[in-house]
Amino acid sequence: MADTPADPVLRAESSSQRATFLELFLDLVFVFALTRVSQRLVEDFTTDQRILLSEAGQTLVLFLALWLIWASTAWVTSTLEPEAFAVQGVVVVTVVCSMVVAVTLPQGFGEGGLIFVAGYLAVQFVRVGFFLIATRGRVVGDPAAPRRVLFWAGLTAVPWLIGGMAGESLLRGVLWSVAVGVDYLGFTLGWPTPRLGRSEYGAQPFAGEHLAERYQQFLLIGLGELILVTGVAFSSGGGAFEPGRTGALGLALLTTVLLWRIYFYRAGHVLPAAIIKSRDPTRLGLAATYTHLTMIAGIVLTGVGYELSITHPFGHIAPAWLIAILGGPALFLVGRAGFEFLVFGRISRSRVIGLVLLAAAVPVVRRLPLVAVAGTTAGVLLGVALSDLRRSHGKALEAPAPPI
């Protein structure tokens, strides 16, 4: 890494690996943003079940756009000096634009479509423009990087804008799905651009410990959102400690603790060391983006399942609700298994067994009350966590062995 005043925007070796207060401030916006995703999903599961797939697909597109904003910002602050004025300005712009995206997300496929797009595209264009102005165009390290990002942003701005102006939600969904898919492709490949090449992640200064900490922090944000959503669901019913509602709330808290335990034991805890030890740290860090995306999606879906369980503890189960109550933890375990492979080069049997049990529970629990289904989910996660505890008892802690 550069460590000279001539490259004030690049990370120096002496730079702190810890997240800055400004980055943590950005995370507060995403706590709120995730609650808006949950709000949309609850509406998706409680409206006409015949259009659930379409509605949930729309929410997924909005969630993917939201995650890409956070992930790309985490990469910026992991490759550049987060205390530099230009980089701090990029984060501030992201805070403002992300708030616009968050408040319009529930109506992203309704009247708020164009405003949502404006906030999302502003992240792409305004923060790159601010960075170029703040550095007076003297971009160090990879001078063509901002132009590559702008090229890809301009490429996807067309379907984003046309979709925002489209009055028909199906057309909007198709255009925005293509747009967000291309955005992810550009991010993954380093924004390859004619005559400008592409950004070589491995050739840039890179703070692996910082990026690992940001992933850990966002995972905690997801768990915090789960607590927030279930707490609000319980208190909105008057806060009365009725047996069913109280039981569902207790199971939600237990599940939150179990998800935390399963994540941080042991891969989540040693992720910084795994990135440092990796033969290709930037590739591992990029792969971890997608495993964490899967786990966060699972946590959000789990929160929706528990909100339904708290609101209707003994109510009739709509078959689609099982997608949230059982599918959320299953999605988390899928992401956690992939994450474990990145860190240790193997997958624990407990993750696979947990997935099998959740799938096998679907035909069994369909006639049970929601609180009982939630209890089944918590029981499976408890088994996974206990398996981890038993495997580690009396043994030396496993060191990371990334296959990348």
Side-chain angles (χ1 to χ4, degrees):
M1 295 183 185
D3 198 16
T4 67
D7 292 341
V9 181
L10 288 182
R11 266 190 174 270
E13 291 185 14
S14 58
S15 298
S16 172
Q17 295 279 338
R18 304 302 303 272
T20 64
F21 290 118
L22 185 56
E23 291 175 272
L24 298 178
F25 180 56
L26 171 66
D27 290 349
L28 296 179
V29 175
F30 281 85
V31 173
F32 170 72
L34 288 181
T35 66
R36 300 305 87 197
V37 176
S38 295
Q39 176 189 341
R40 271 196 60 99
L41 282 172
V42 169
E43 294 175 357
D44 294 343
F45 281 103
T46 52
T47 54
D48 190 345
Q49 298 300 308
R50 291 174 298 177
I51 58 174
L52 173 63
L53 185 61
S54 173
E55 295 289 339
Q58 293 173 1
T59 304
L60 176 61
V61 169
L62 300 175
F63 170 72
L64 289 174
L66 192 68
W67 171 260
L68 188 57
I69 292 174
W70 184 90
S72 59
T73 307
W75 272 94
V76 167
T77 55
S78 293
T79 55
L80 301 178
E81 175 53 60
E83 298 292 348
F85 171 73
V87 180
Q88 289 184 334
V90 167
V91 178
V92 170
V93 169
T94 305
V95 168
V96 176
C97 297
S98 297
M99 192 62 187
V100 174
V101 170
V103 297
T104 56
L105 191 146
Q107 293 298 319
F109 275 82
E111 297 178 355
L114 267 179
I115 301 177
F116 176 89
V117 169
Y120 179 78
L121 292 180
V123 173
Q124 315 297 332
F125 288 101
V126 177
R127 66 182 183 180
V128 174
F130 177 89
F131 182 79
L132 289 172
I133 293 172
T135 59
R136 298 179 182 179
R138 294 194 294 268
V139 182
V140 293
D142 186 2
R147 286 181 287 165
R148 295 190 195 101
V149 174
L150 288 176
F151 174 83
W152 279 76
L155 191 67
T156 61
V158 176
W160 277 116
L161 288 171
I162 295 176
M165 292 183 289
E168 210 278 313
S169 61
L170 178 60
L171 177 59
R172 180 178 296 181
V174 171
L175 290 171
W176 283 6
S177 296
V178 171
V180 78
V182 174
D183 281 335
Y184 270 85
L185 183 65
F187 176 69
T188 303
L189 299 180
W191 303 281
T193 305
R195 299 185 179 183
L196 296 178
R198 69 176 186 174
S199 297
E200 296 293 340
Y201 285 118
Q204 299 178 26
F206 175 65
E209 292 180 64
H210 175 270
L211 184 63
E213 182 180 273
R214 297 299 288 137
Y215 288 142
Q216 293 168 336
Q217 289 166 347
F218 202 91
L219 196 286
L220 291 175
I221 288 174
L223 294 177
E225 188 271 343
L226 197 161
I227 293 175
L228 179 62
V229 165
T230 53
V232 169
F234 185 84
S235 60
S236 64
F241 284 85
E242 301 170 359
R245 290 168 51 82
T246 303
L249 178 62
L251 290 170
L253 293 175
L254 173 61
T255 297
T256 304
V257 172
L258 292 172
L259 293 175
W260 165 81
R261 168 68 183 180
I262 293 169
Y263 172 78
F264 279 101
Y265 185 85
R266 168 140 159 85
H269 183 70
V270 300
L271 177 59
I275 291 180
I276 293 173
K277 190 175 181 179
S278 171
R279 298 187 304 274
D280 190 345
T282 52
R283 184 181 169 196
L284 177 59
L286 185 62
T289 297
Y290 296 102
T291 57
H292 280 78
L293 166 61
T294 306
M295 286 186 283
I296 295 297
I299 291 172
V300 171
L301 197 55
T302 299
V304 171
Y306 274 109
E307 180 172 351
L308 294 171
S309 301
I310 292 171
T311 308
H312 311 282
F314 299 114
H316 171 69
I317 297 180
W321 290 6
L322 295 177
I323 297 175
I325 303 172
L326 295 176
L331 191 59
F332 173 84
L333 289 178
V334 168
R336 182 57 177 75
F339 177 50
E340 185 176 46
F341 180 79
L342 290 178
V343 174
F344 294 114
R346 52 118 181 112
I347 297 175
S348 299
R349 285 182 297 176
S350 61
R351 314 299 186 234
V352 179
I353 293 173
L355 286 169
V356 171
L357 290 176
L358 288 172
V362 173
V364 178
V365 302
R366 292 184 63 177
R367 298 186 180 277
L368 296 179
L370 282 176
V371 68
V373 182
T376 301
T377 298
V380 171
L381 293 176
L382 178 61
V384 174
L386 290 176
S387 176
D388 290 343
L389 184 63
R390 181 182 60 83
R391 190 174 64 250
S392 64
H393 182 67
K395 298 180 181 179
L397 295 177
E398 184 178 7
I404 298 176

